Amino acid sequence: MSPTDALPKTGVLSPAFGHSTADAESFGAERLPRLRGLMRSELRLVFLRPRTAAMLGFLALVPVLLGVALRYFHDGGSSRGGGDGGTMDFVNQVTGNGLFLVFASLAAALPFFLPMTVGVVAGDSIAGEAHGGTLRYLLVAPAGRTRLLLVKFAGVLTFCLAATLTIAMSALAVGAALFPMGDVPLLTGDSISMVEASWRAVLIALCVAASLVGLAAIGLFVSTLTTVPVAAMATTVGVVIVTAILTGIPQLSGLHPWLFTDAWMSFGDLLRDPIPTGEILRNLGMQAAYAAVFGAAAWARLNERDITT
Amino acid sequence: MTSTTRRSVPWRFAVPAAIAAATVGAVTIGPAAFADDGRPGLPDVTAEQLVAKVAAARADALTGTVRIDTDLGLPAVPGKGGGGPQALLSGTNRLQVALDGPDRQRIGIMADLSEYNVVHNGRDVWTYDSRAHAVTHTTVDTTRPDVASLVPTTPQDAARQLLDLVGPSTDVRVDGTARVAGHDVYKLRFAPKAQGSLIAAATVFVDARTGVPLRVTVDTVKGGKPAVDIGFEQVSYDKPAAGTFDFKPPAGARVTEAPAHEAAPGKPTAPPAPNGERTAPGLLGEGWTTVVELPAGAKGKEGKEGKEGKDVTGLLGKLGKPVPGGTLINTRLLNVLTTDSGRVFAGAVDADTLQRIAAQR
C-alpha cells in the first residue's frame, strides 16, 4: 500500500474538495499576497535550478557560435548563391550590421533550440512536483489546483521570455563586438536608424517569446498526465519534432495552417516596411488558441486526477 | 489505488474540447458566416460597359497586399528558393504593392524572413534581394510600357492581358457580384469560344466603384481550384507614403549595374499568359490558342534571363513524357513540347493542338 493512505482525503485526493468554500472566502484580501508568494517560490524553483542556468547558458552560446562562424569563417563567395542558399537566414546582412545577429540568432534558435528548453521546463512543471512528492503538499496548502496550474504556467511563460531575451542580449553583445553597427537595412531594402531598429528588435524578441506560448501550454498539459518528468519533457520535445516533420511534407499542406509552428517565422514581418500585420496577428491568435485548449485540458486533467504523490 | 475514487465521466474535458471546437469552427466557417462575403446588390451592367470601365480605370495611386496562389499541377519544389520572382510559379505568395502613376511602382515579394523588391521610379529600376543582400540597378527607356507589367504580379496586370483578348474569339459576360478585400466587385468572365485551350475561363473581379481589377482567377478545363488566383487581400487607393519609391542601396549590399538596353535582370520566364507577348521570341496562332516558340539557342542570348530559362527547361525536362517527335510536359495550365530538333513550343493549349501547331512548323 502506498503511503498516501495515511493522508487526509480532503483537498488532496478528492477533487471535489479542491475548491472548498474556504478557498472562495479567501478570494479577496489574501488572494493577491498568496498568489505573489506562490509565484515567487515558483520563479525561484525554475530559475535557481542549475539545469535552467545550464540551458540559458547554452542558448546564450548560440549567437556566440553564429557570430564567430560568420565573422571568421564566412567567405563572401558563398553569399552569391542568393536564391539557392536557403539554410541560413540573414547571413549576408549580419556581416554588414551587428544588430542582424539578433535576428539571425532568434531565427536559428526558434525552430528547435528554444522549443527544446521550453519543453524541458514545461514538461517538468507538474510532473516534477509529482515525481518529487511535493505536489500533494502544494495542494495541502490551501492554494487550489487551478491556481497552482496558473502559477506553473506563468513560470513556464517567464522562462520563455527569459530564454528569448537571453539569446537577444547575447546576440546584441556579440554582434556589437564582432561586426559594425549602423543604419539597419530592412528586408525591403530601406534602411532605418539604430534606435528604431532596436525597438523592432524588442518587438521581435517579444514576438518570438509569444510564439512559444502554445508549446508551453502543450507541455503543461503533458506534464499533468504523468509523474515521470523525463517522459513529459521527451513527449513535449517530441511534439515539436513531429510538427517539424509534418511541416516538411508538402502533401499535408492542408494541415499546415493548423500547426502551432506554422506562423512562427512571422516575426520577420517586423523587418519590412510597411509592417504587414496579418501573419503576426495570426501567430498570436494561434498561440492563444493553443494555450486555451491545452491549458483547459491541463486544468481538466489536474482536477480529475488523484494526486497521490 | 482504487477505482472507487475515479470518476467515470471526466466532464471537465468537455471544456478544452469545446474551446477547440469553437476555435476550429470560428476559423473555418467564421469568415463566411460573419464577414459580409456574400453577393452585394449592385446595379446591372453589361459586359461591354464593364470592359470599358476596366479599360478606362486608372489606379493612379494604390497600396495593398496581394496574394498569389499558383497551382500549375507541378510537384512542389522543396526548399522554396530564395523568394525571387520565380517563387511565384508555385504555391502561395504574398506581395506588398505600391503604385503611383505609370512611372512609379514598387512590388515586394515576401517570403519567410526574406523579401524580393522591385522598385520602378521614372527611369530607374532597382531590385533588392534581401537573402543575397544584393541590388541590381538598371535604367529603362521611358517610352516603353512599364517594366513591372512584364510579370503579372498584380490583378491589374493580369486583367490587362485578358483585355487584350477581347474579340470574336472570346465570350465575355458579367457573372454576378462578390466582395474582394472589403470592396464590392462585379465578376467579369472571359471564356474562349473555341476548343483547344487549357483555360476554361478567366474571371476578373472589378471594383464596382473604381473599375480597378482587384482579383483574377484562371480556371482550367480540368476543373478543381483555379490554376492562378491573384487578388488583393487588402487594398487602399491612398497615395503611397512619400519616399516609398526613393530606393537607395542599403549599406553593404552588392550592387550590380545592368546595361540600360536590357530588360530588368531577374525577371522570370513568366508563366506565359494566353497571349504571352512581349517576351515571346515567336508567336504562333492567335487568341486563346497562341503558342510560343522559344528559339533553340535562347540560352546564350541574354545573360541571366537566358540562364534562368535554361534552368526551367532543365527542371521541366525531368517531368516530361515522350511523345512522337519530342517530349511533352503537361501541367494544368500549360503544355510544353520540346521537339527532337531542340525547339520548344509552349502554350495554354491541349496537347493535340500543341503538337499540331508544332508539326506545321
Side-chain angles (χ1 to χ4, degrees), chain B residues 41-304:
Chain B
L42 293 171
D44 285 342
V45 290
T46 65
E48 287 74 24
Q49 287 170 330
L50 206 50
V51 168
K53 188 168 188 177
V54 175
R58 294 191 14 216
D60 276 338
L62 180 152
T63 56
T65 315
V66 174
R67 178 191 159 116
I68 302 185
D69 279 315
T70 317
D71 181 9
L72 299 182
L74 293 170
V77 183
K80 224 183 172 185
Q86 57 273 24
L88 299 180
L89 289 173
S90 67
T92 298
N93 289 279
R94 285 191 170 75
L95 289 80
Q96 283 196 322
V97 176
L99 310 174
D100 187 6
D103 290 336
R104 308 211 289 171
Q105 294 109 16
R106 179 167 192 154
I107 292 162
I109 304 170
M110 299 189 279
D112 278 351
L113 306 183
S114 69
E115 184 163 330
Y116 187 94
N117 266 255
V118 182
V119 185
H120 172 210
N121 188 1
R123 283 178 51 83
D124 294 313
V125 177
W126 299 89
T127 70
Y128 174 67
D129 183 348
S130 83
R131 198 172 279 269
H133 199 39
V135 171
T136 66
H137 175 240
T138 185
T139 52
V140 285
D141 190 348
T142 43
T143 58
R144 278 183 48 168
D146 45 342
V147 168
S149 72
L150 286 177
V151 202
T153 43
T154 61
Q156 284 99 314
D157 293 333
R160 199 174 305 136
Q161 294 181 339
L162 281 168
L163 285 183
D164 291 344
L165 280 172
V166 173
S169 66
T170 306
D171 173 44
V172 185
R173 61 186 168 86
V174 179
D175 191 25
T177 60
R179 278 180 76 83
V180 175
H183 295 256
D184 291 344
V185 294
Y186 290 105
K187 289 161 76 174
L188 188 58
R189 191 171 178 277
F190 297 76
K193 280 180 182 162
Q195 296 286 313
S197 174
L198 286 179
I199 298 174
T203 308
V204 180
F205 296 66
V206 182
D207 190 326
R209 196 168 55 81
T210 61
V212 172
L214 295 181
R215 183 180 170 200
V216 172
T217 60
V218 177
D219 291 299
T220 67
V221 290
K222 292 182 182 166
K225 71 172 196 173
V228 179
D229 185 346
I230 303 182
F232 281 102
E233 283 190 319
Q234 176 255 316
V235 66
S236 136
Y237 296 115
D238 297 336
K239 218 172 170 59
T244 303
F245 306 102
D246 301 334
F247 186 84
K248 279 192 280 302
R254 188 162 39 85
V255 181
T256 313
E257 286 286 335
H261 56 83
E262 271 185 29
K267 288 291 179 190
T269 46
N275 63 334
E277 86 279 47
R278 290 200 187 101
T279 53
L283 291 177
L284 312 169
E286 62 178 12
W288 295 85
T289 52
T290 303
V291 168
V292 179
E293 182 186 356
L294 304 171
K299 51 182 173 285
K301 207 178 82 180
E302 276 200 15
K304 200 173 172 186

Side-chain angles (χ1 to χ4, degrees), chain A residues 154-166:
Chain A
V156 180
L157 295 188
T158 312
F159 176 81
C160 293
L161 191 60
T164 311
L165 290 180
T166 301

